[in-house]
Amino acid sequence: MDITRQVEQLLKQGRVDIFLGYRELYGHLIPHGYTMDNLEDLENLKVSQHRYSLEKVATHLAEKKPDLKIGIIARDCNQRALNILYTWNQLNPDNIETLNVNCCPSKTRKHGDCSYLEPKETGWFKKENGIDYNAEPDAFMEEFDNSERFSHWMYEFSKCIKCYGCRNVCPVCFCPECSLENPDLIEPGALPPEVPIFHLVRATHMAGRCVDCGLCEDACPAEIPLRFLYRQMNQIVGDVFGYNPGEGIEKSPFTIIGDKVTLEPKPMDA
Amino acid sequence: MNCKFVPSVCSYCGTGCGVLFEVIDGKINSTLPLKSHPVNQGKLCIKGWNLHEYINSFMRLKAPLVKEEGRFQKATWDEAINHAARNFNRIKEEHGPDSIGVLVSAKVTNEENYLAQKLARAALKTNNVDHCARL
Amino acid sequence: MTNSIAEFETDSKVIFVIGSNTTACHPLIANRIIKAKENGARLIVADPRNIQLTKFADLAVHQRLGTDVALLNGMMHVIIRNDWHAAEYVEKRCEEFEALKKTVASYDPERVEAITGIAARDIEQMAELYATNAPGALLYAMGITQHTTGVDNVKSCCNLAMLCGNLGVPGGGVNPLRGQNNVQGACDMGGLPNVFTGYQPVADPEVREKFASAWNCGELSDTPGMTITDMISAIDEGKIKGLYVIGENPKLSDPDKNHLDHVLKKLDFLVVEDIFLTESAQVADVVFASAALGERQGTFTNTERRCMLTQKAVEPVGNALPDWQIISRFATALGHGMSYDSPEEVFNEMASLTKSYQGMTYDRIGIDGLQWPCLAKDHPGTPYLHKETFTRGKGMFHAIEFKEPAEAACAEYPMMMTTGRMFAHFHTGTMTRVSNSLDTEQKTGYVDINPADAEKLNIASGDMVLLTSRRGEIEAPAQITDSVPPNNVFLPIHFGENPTNTLTSSTAFDPIAKIPEFKVGAVKIEKLIA
Amino acid sequence: MKEEVFEPKIVAFMCNWCTYGAADLAGVSRMQYPSNTRIIRVMCSASVSPHHILRAFQSKADGVLVGG
Amino acid sequence: MDDEYNEGLGKRKAIYVPYSQAVPLKYSIDPDNCLYLTKGRCGTCEKVCPSHAINYLDQKKEITLNVGSVVLSTGFKSFDPSKLDHLSFGQHPDIVTSMGFERVLSATGPQGGHLVLPSDKKHKKEPKKIAWLQCVGSRDENRCNNGYCSSVCCMYAVKQSVMAKDHSKEPLDCAIFYMDMRTQGKDFDRYYEKAKDNGVRFVRSRVHSVYPDHDKGNLVMGYVDELGAMVKENFDMVVLSTGLEISADSFELATTMGIELDRSNFIKTDSFKPVSTSMPGVYACGVFTGPKDIPQSVMEASAAASAATENLALARNSKTRAVTTPRERDVAGESPRIGVFVCNCGTNIGGIVDVPAVAEYARHLPGVVYVEENLFTCSQDTQDKLVEVIKEKGLNRIVIAACTPKTHEDLFRETLIDAGLNKYLVEMANIRNQDSWVHSNEPELATAKARDLVRMAVAKAFRLEPLFESQLPVTQSALVVGGGITGMTAALSLSRQGYPVTLVEQNQTLGGNGRLLYKTSKNEEVSLFVRKLISEVEADEHVHILLGSSVHGVEGFVGNFKTTVATGDDSRIVEHGVALLATGARESRPAEYCYGEHDAVMTLLDLDARFAKGSKVVDRAENVVFIQCVGSRDQEHPYCSKVCCTHSIKSAIAFKRKNPETGVYLLYRDIRTYGQREFLYKEARDLGILFFQYDLDNKPVVTPEGDHVTVAFTDHVLGLRLAVDADILCLAARIEPNDNTRLGQAFKVTSDNDGWFLEAHQKLRPVDFATDGLFLCGMAHYPKPVDESISQARAAAARALTVLSRDSINVGGIVANINPERCAGCGGCVEVCSYNAITMDPAKHVAVVNDALCKGCGACAATCPSEAPSLMGFNNDQLYAQIKSAMTV
Amino acid sequence: MTIKRITFVQEMLKFMGLEGRLHLEWISSAEAQKFASVVTDFTEKIRRLGPSPMAAIQHQEMGRRNHGYHKAG
Amino acid sequence: MERNDLTPTDPKGSVMVVGGGVAGMQSALDIANSGFYVYLVEKSPAIGGKMAQLDKTFPTNDCAM
């Protein structure tokens, strides 16, 4: 059954009160909420490579009406983000209905369908001073020494125009007040924002939470390799604690006491 | 409950970034960059991301105001417009059309600017039209 | 802008930014510049302050306030001396080259160094970078225009671009970055004292006739009107009695606030139309409550001449009305009937009277918009101007001599002041300061002071200081930063409690454009004892 | 020219019940150690968040020591 | 002179502080060694003391006190091994007592915690081999008169060996020479096993001599190994695990008072009255009543507290004084007016740090309006002056730059209260312990650091806000879960202090295991006692007994619990201020040695029942075998059941007494008749009971043989395999905890890996749970004999009384607080709180802190990405300011 | 909890090029000697590592106000 | 059950604890915290007793201080 009819059915059967999908307008795909009141819009329902964080919209809706039944077109990253939102009590899984669109490459499916998979070429200046769009964390660690890594990151961060887009667009950022805006932690009003703390505070929040959707990097006017950064944060959490956010609904190791921690403080070697 | 996304153009600065307003139940709940827009390509600055906040501000003017004895009173549109028109017509009669100036705006739409200069030139009969582009 | 924003990223080989703190004021243009740089374009930044963009520049220089003409002349001197200029282009498409050559001949780098404070070596290098990489885009903003020599500055920019053949090519151009979202549109729409829409002069009887008949309003005035600067003087002199202000806040945006406050009181009747009760609206006799963005439909024309549609998303708050309705009703009440059903109807009327817009319709504009000139229904719009020829035919060089700004540091006012914007706020702050997220970023005004001066004056970050100019005084907390050079201070313009324009001068303005010299002033600073 | 020894600035977050006590005792015992460290007393090392550590580095600390 | 504290391994002066952490931390003069007092010379200390505290004329004074009860807790003295010639103590510096070795290991000790040979401190030579010699002055009636076991030496020797290995940079060989390894306490066996894994050698042997080898410069130990061979081994150091004994002073005190002592001079007590002496109104605890370890001493101490006040309940609060405080000034809305007081601490600070410069520096810090320099900021007259200055200058935040808040913060808080300020408005800068004392060689750097520390303290003080404590009324009644000896004892202890008790018992009868026991180690009949106890409980009008009942749900917190108790199908809600969990334990059913398959095989309790009722099999038994550690101390249950050795020996003796001809065999791994129980062991041996040691990998084998069973085992000494046809095979079955899962969940308390309830601190808070207002006692804590259970019951009662005797409890102060505006309701903080102090408010979808449960650790604050929780008094605002200020120049 | 967080931050700093500048140590209140040696060793270690590269970053943040005045309201 | 043999009609609200080691201190604290005045009598210049001499305590290896 094509997706339009599926949505129609969900709405008509009352399984969802609203369905979040996309519609086409002047050649652009934009998110849209389909309800029984605008069934005629369904003819414009489309699915394509464009990605918005529909689950974030769902949290906005649920905030206003907690028992609202919401349907969502869910790409793989949307689905992972939904799991995180369930884990952290931001959405009630009982109220969410998803129509899944598989897109991320996986072991069984090499080719994914996502904007972030499109190859990107890195200009020489960025390559020399910043971080290659196609960098891999391990290779990055190997290629550069401590001080080079630092200066490359500082180059990237110093481009920041403090739009907060990475946070605003992030499907798993849901704090009512963000510590990035705490004037005691990070001096407000400066451009670029205090580096690297601005980005690292966010990076710590992403550790064990980021679902690797890449929307932040898409939204970054300065093209800071945020996805690369957060992926490494998750890698650390995965390596040290064996936790992969979004795969299930377990909480992140940073908030769980009681499990036996076998870690030991690292020795102070020179 | 309804939810729609309406395309618009950011009203800060001359860049003209494409935005989407997330409208929930008749209220703009947030602003998003329009991913496929030719100007900003799905990115925004801090002002753009918070575009809806001033629109929703509780400090917005909700009705025309007329000053009486130094204090503002809420008025109907007819009262306010007629009061203003009466006074402008009086000034125009007393001091001529060029005794009135019109400052149009770099923040309102083309249509409105067009009408404003038309108002100055056709209704008031003056070319005293300028705006703050230079300020 | 003669060219398009996207071209910076795709076509420009060198980008010269002068008088624009782009990352703060036009962030989404700045990102194109940085991307261009990352992809291999060269970047030159000339700004008195140490702005964010300087970090990415091949060469960043800090000219003394108000010395842009000297700097640009110096560059042209070097270019001509080295024969780096586009001789063929100059020959074919321009005139008055010899006059320019003669004038800039005296601007050797050493002299320019003495005027601007930029090392002669750097001037040579700037010239080389700009001239030997083509195409080259020149970007400027208020740092160029808000001077007593604003027009001279702009003309010098044009001289430089033409000299290197950068006009009429993609990725080149002279590109003023408009400060407000519809400055371009307001000008295009005839929001100027001397022209109708599309820059059709009021002095031209044919044009007047065309509009008079289209508007069905009898004869139109043939005398060019007053600029805003003139209007203020005229109010002071009692010549203007009534003022209708739409969506502006002159009480904060206009120079010499104390004087202006005094002048505005002389008005017989003031009408302000706005979405907030601004400082200016507070002194009005009648305030019209407007609908805001998202509450009405209409078009904006951005800095690259792209006319774009903004849609109505929600109903206006309370009884507020869209400006087009208010204006129509007001005009009708004034005796000239206007009745439109929709903005689209207004647009179509305008387009029919305006050549550069005449190919546009709402449907065609859609989301992507169209860049004027768009001359016919099948015209794709114009990404860059002056492709084959200049509007007037040949591009004219203007030989311009450097003039000092109106005010210089003196014993009483030993510091130089410049003003501008910061990234989280916009203009007089009416919109941004009620926005919680933006307010969080910067809650009050401030004054940037160089650490060396701070040490001399025993000022620490956060200390309240008193700034005094010949016009008045304000208080603001100090921020110690090396983003301003020693002996200079920077003040943002957004904050009503620290009204920067109390310090600026209304008598120092460009004689032609009447633009005040916001960017240069002399002040003194004292630490306030808490 | 005399080469100056680099004197690092170190922020130390010390648990009130453990390391802070050890630091006090080191004083009582008159043990001598370099004076580069500035101790900030916290009630438990579990209350030291990444924010604190990052803030210290941002404020140009050369090193951060956490004592639990 | 030699320093007693360091066991003579260090030196001290005639005017001294006993040790650096002593309370009170004041100097005193040793009159026997002071030159001025003995010879009238010197007097230096009087001259140099800036506060004129020296008074040579101080004399002993006699004071008469009129008190309701007396508690004797004079403790012990370590056995002095110099009497024992064969150990050569005192002849070589590397032969030390265990106390001496503690000082060697201690960071505050004479060697600063470096493990070096006392004989060669100069070259910092480290020992490579250390031997511990157990039972020095214990279990020995030949060389000394201490026949008892000192109970603690095995465990401390194990600990010392592990610590020594830890301290040593080189691999260290540690050997412990012992007879029985008595690690019967909670978790002790695990520690013992871990020590074995760490390579500590345990040699079961008898040491006949230790002497220096003057040629090699080390020590020789001669001993007989397990197989009877004579061995000589060299060691670098020998530690004598000296026993505990009663000092002459304590003996004199007791005899003067006319208190009855036992044969070893410990105070004689009754198993059922473990803290009462023979003299009414006089109670005792700690080692004075018998050798014991720290947790047991602490328990007894609390038990004595309960016993000593029971008769005084009517006079409660008659002698205590209420504190009056001035009204607190509201400083909200005032901008900070900080007063900085910089202390010279005599010359402790002022001698190093340029205090005037620091004070001058402080004057220019933001918010500072007043700065003063003091000689001693902590002195009483300075406190008075502080109060005056605060009032006069209108100060609202105080910074004290002096010593450490750990010792002095409370003092200054009191002073603030006196000045009418909220007590949390003081911040200390530690410029002594963490500055002048540790950088005395670099006065300039110390001064610079002092400036920084003051600046940081001022930055924090600038942001200090008053914190408030609120008073919650206490429900002055208790809930006791478990109606055994422990539960009943606890219930009575509380009711006799005047507080109502609800006693919940799961069975239909009271008494628990007590009903199954025959006699105590002191031969007292348990059943008589239990019967009497039950009738007393039943007669007590303050004790409300709920039989056949169990706890289903618990809400609330200290002082205010609401517990649902179900009786059959009924359930009721009991309100109580405290709860004592005394759910006991049970003897396990062995799964080996033919238990349950053959009538001759029984457990100790089965045997007790037969003794109590009389049994022909018991009367006629010719051969009786006991097997110890059945199901204990193995892989699955690596703990010692503690009571079985004594219980078995007690029963074995009973057989022998009944019929000396009976062959009684006791197969054991270590005989753990700790304390005075050792006399029973000796008696058993004297009576001809045969003891055979076996190992886990060589366990006895039992085979049924008609109406008896054959028990086969190995005699290590003879190296022979033996077999006994036993009429009775008695198994010392493991004691296992009752299933406390549901109860634990209801009270949100935790159990350890073996299922025993987990106390707040194994040594110092043995009857408290980590959660305030909840206490544990009896075998729910760990297997233990009746006397210890009673002690612990009384102890739990005493601890509970500290809550119940109050009308209200204070909560708040340094606790977490969650800002609901910032809270996203994600629940991260709920998960991270170790004290269950945070819950979700489902209606508002935000987390809420319960002040009464919060311990102020701040883990929640560090977890939340949006910083919604903050630890009051240490909030992020303050910490960030301190961090930034630490780095500003 | 401490060990989890610190381990993570150490790894993060490593990725950022600030490796080795964060250290965690368990020190009990009696371990004065350990405290002194940890502080000594750590100071030495940082001395060897040299100044934090953060110290070289100037300009943007040095200027911001340091909230020397009390937050109003 | 341990029943005190002495039931004073006019009990005193104070208790003397002899010995300021870990047991004496604990006892004194518990008594004081349940509403009685305590005289803690110690022979040496500091309280703490034998435990103050210990380095670490098993099994937790906590410091004895």
Side-chain angles (χ1 to χ4, degrees), chain E residues 182-239:
Chain E
R182 293 192 169 165
T183 48
Q184 65 275 356
K186 189 170 179 175
D187 265 351
F188 290 9
D189 254 330
R190 272 207 176 76
Y191 198 91
Y192 170 38
E193 293 300 328
K194 222 170 96 189
K196 282 199 235 172
D197 293 346
N198 281 350
V200 176
R201 279 194 292 142
F202 289 86
V203 188
R204 197 188 286 271
S205 64
R206 294 198 173 254
V207 174
H208 54 74
S209 59
V210 179
Y211 52 90
D213 178 336
H214 291 292
D215 296 339
K216 288 187 180 160
N218 59 6
L219 306 164
V220 184
M221 180 174 280
Y223 61 93
V224 181
D225 74 6
E226 237 179 319
L227 302 170
M230 296 277 288
V231 184
K232 278 197 172 130
E233 195 176 344
N234 289 319
F235 288 92
D236 298 327
M237 196 169 183
V238 171
V239 182

Side-chain angles (χ1 to χ4, degrees), chain D residues 7 9-11 13 15-21 23-53 55-57 59-63, chain E residues 20-21 107-108 348 404-406 409 430 432-434 436-442 445-446 448-449 452-453 456 460 814 856-859 861-865 867 871 874 876 879-880 882-884 886-889:
Chain D
E7 285 302 336
K9 294 187 123 194
I10 296 167
V11 174
F13 297 97
C15 164
N16 185 49
W17 311 108
C18 309
T19 316
Y20 194 88
D24 276 349
L25 187 57
V28 173
S29 317
R30 307 297 199 276
M31 292 168 183
Q32 299 289 306
Y33 54 82
S35 67
N36 306 56
T37 300
R38 300 291 174 267
I39 293 179
I40 292 173
R41 184 166 72 119
V42 293
M43 292 313 268
C44 172
S45 61
S47 73
V48 179
S49 84
H51 294 183
H52 299 130
I53 296 164
R55 187 59 248 173
F57 281 116
S59 300
K60 303 189 197 304
D62 297 303
Chain E
S20 51
Q21 285 158 302
T108 58
N348 275 315
T404 167
K406 296 208 59 146
E409 194 168 52
N430 192 334
R432 188 186 73 182
N433 296 42
Q434 297 176 6
S436 71
W437 276 351
V438 288
H439 310 309
S440 50
N441 299 337
E442 306 167 306
L445 291 176
K449 182 168 173 180
D452 289 359
L453 293 174
M456 288 161 69
K460 183 170 180 194
I814 297 178
C857 75
T863 293
C864 180
E867 304 183 6
L871 178 59
F874 290 85
N876 280 343
L879 287 177
Y880 294 146
Q882 264 184 306
I883 295 166
K884 287 184 217 169
M887 288 297 127
T888 336
V889 183

Side-chain angles (χ1 to χ4, degrees), chain B residues 81-90 92 100 102 119-120 122-125, chain C residues 244 327-337:
Chain B
I81 283 176
N82 291 338
H83 179 63
R86 240 187 343 266
N87 278 285
F88 269 23
N89 281 333
R90 170 180 59 78
K92 191 172 141 193
I100 296 175
V102 176
L119 175 143
L124 294 169
K125 296 282 190 267
Chain C
Y244 177 24
I327 298 165
S328 301
R329 288 174 70 168
F330 191 31
T332 306
L334 284 167
H336 177 81

Side-chain angles (χ1 to χ4, degrees), chain C residues 155-402:
Chain C
K155 283 178 177 164
S156 296
C157 290
C158 297
N159 286 343
L160 178 65
M162 282 199 298
L163 186 66
C164 297
N166 277 329
L167 283 172
V169 291
V174 174
N175 300 289
L177 306 181
R178 301 301 197 178
Q180 296 173 49
N181 63 330
N182 206 22
V183 169
Q184 188 66 51
C187 297
D188 296 347
M189 292 305 114
L192 295 169
N194 55 341
V195 291
F196 292 102
T197 59
Y199 309 97
Q200 306 170 67
V202 294
D204 184 335
E206 265 177 52
V207 171
R208 280 207 306 281
E209 180 48 39
K210 176 172 106 181
F211 278 92
S213 73
W215 291 348
N216 193 21
C217 63
E219 205 161 311
L220 290 164
S221 167
D222 58 351
T223 41
M226 288 181 248
T227 62
I228 182 166
T229 316
D230 291 335
M231 282 188 221
I232 303 300
S233 313
I235 298 166
D236 197 18
E237 291 158 19
K239 289 182 192 156
I240 283 188
K241 296 283 184 187
L243 193 64
Y244 177 24
V245 179
I246 303 169
E248 295 291 347
N249 188 13
K251 277 189 66 112
L252 281 193
S253 64
D254 289 21
D256 195 356
K257 181 174 188 304
N258 290 344
H259 176 65
L260 183 78
D261 289 350
H262 167 75
V263 168
L264 285 183
K265 285 189 191 136
K266 295 189 177 177
L267 275 176
D268 187 335
F269 202 81
L270 174 64
V271 179
V272 172
E273 183 170 315
D274 212 310
I275 59 171
F276 291 105
L277 195 65
T278 61
E279 286 84 351
S280 305
Q282 285 165 26
V283 300
D285 296 283
V286 169
V287 178
F288 295 154
S290 313
L293 180 76
E295 295 174 341
R296 60 170 168 14
Q297 203 187 23
T299 59
F300 289 133
T301 304
N302 77 349
T303 190
E304 56 172 354
R305 297 165 284 105
R306 187 187 297 272
C307 181
M308 292 178 287
L309 253 182
T310 159
Q311 302 287 4
K312 177 171 168 176
V314 294
E315 289 302 319
V317 64
N319 291 332
L321 285 177
D323 296 276
W324 62 270
Q325 287 184 24
I326 301 170
I327 298 165
S328 301
R329 288 174 70 168
F330 191 31
T332 306
L334 284 167
H336 177 81
M338 286 189 195
S339 73
Y340 299 95
D341 289 336
S342 68
E344 191 168 4
E345 195 183 337
V346 180
F347 185 87
N348 291 338
E349 176 182 316
M350 179 278 297
S352 70
L353 292 165
T354 314
K355 203 174 149 200
S356 51
Y357 281 81
Q358 69 191 9
M360 297 187 197
T361 64
Y362 270 21
D363 264 356
R364 285 200 69 201
I365 292 170
I367 283 175
D368 292 341
L370 281 165
Q371 285 172 283
W372 65 253
C374 174
L375 303 169
K377 297 284 183 265
D378 55 358
H379 190 283
T382 312
Y384 61 95
L385 300 175
H386 317 305
K387 190 175 179 183
E388 303 293 332
T389 170
F390 291 101
T391 319
R392 67 181 287 278
K394 280 197 165 187
M396 184 158 81
F397 285 113
H398 296 268
I400 294 162
E401 292 287 353
F402 164 70

Side-chain angles (χ1 to χ4, degrees), chain E residues 93-123:
Chain E
D94 296 337
I95 304 174
V96 297
T97 64
S98 46
M99 264 302 182
F101 195 69
E102 287 287 337
R103 301 316 303 149
V104 169
L105 289 180
S106 172
T108 58
Q111 289 164 206
H114 293 297
L115 179 55
V116 294
L117 287 171
S119 60
D120 199 0
K121 281 188 225 172
K122 259 193 202 153
H123 301 95

Side-chain angles (χ1 to χ4, degrees), chain E residues 571-637:
Chain E
S571 76
R572 76 190 80 201
I573 288 176
V574 179
E575 294 194 15
H576 55 103
V578 294
L580 285 67
L581 308 190
T583 50
R586 58 175 179 243
E587 184 184 66
S588 67
R589 314 275 300 160
E592 53 189 333
Y593 301 128
C594 301
Y595 182 78
E597 295 163 21
H598 196 287
D599 288 345
V601 185
M602 58 189 77
T603 66
L604 282 165
L605 283 183
D606 296 337
L607 182 62
D608 270 11
R610 289 183 168 84
F611 272 126
K613 285 188 204 134
S615 147
K616 281 181 192 161
V617 187
V618 169
D619 292 344
R620 294 177 192 161
E622 286 178 19
N623 281 314
V624 181
V625 177
F626 290 84
I627 300 178
Q628 298 305 106
C629 300
V630 178
S632 295
R633 298 181 64 195
D634 58 12
Q635 284 279 306
E636 272 170 68
H637 303 284

Side-chain angles (χ1 to χ4, degrees), chain A residues 204-247:
Chain A
T204 61
H205 296 178
M206 284 295 102
R209 182 175 290 197
C210 173
V211 294
D212 197 31
C213 66
L215 286 176
C216 46
E217 206 165 298
D218 273 1
C220 181
E223 312 247 328
I224 300 168
L226 296 167
R227 185 167 163 258
F228 175 66
L229 171 62
Y230 304 149
R231 219 167 43 184
Q232 173 67 6
M233 296 301 107
N234 265 345
Q235 189 63 47
I236 296 170
V237 175
D239 288 350
V240 181
F241 306 105
Y243 176 79
N244 294 309
E247 280 188 358

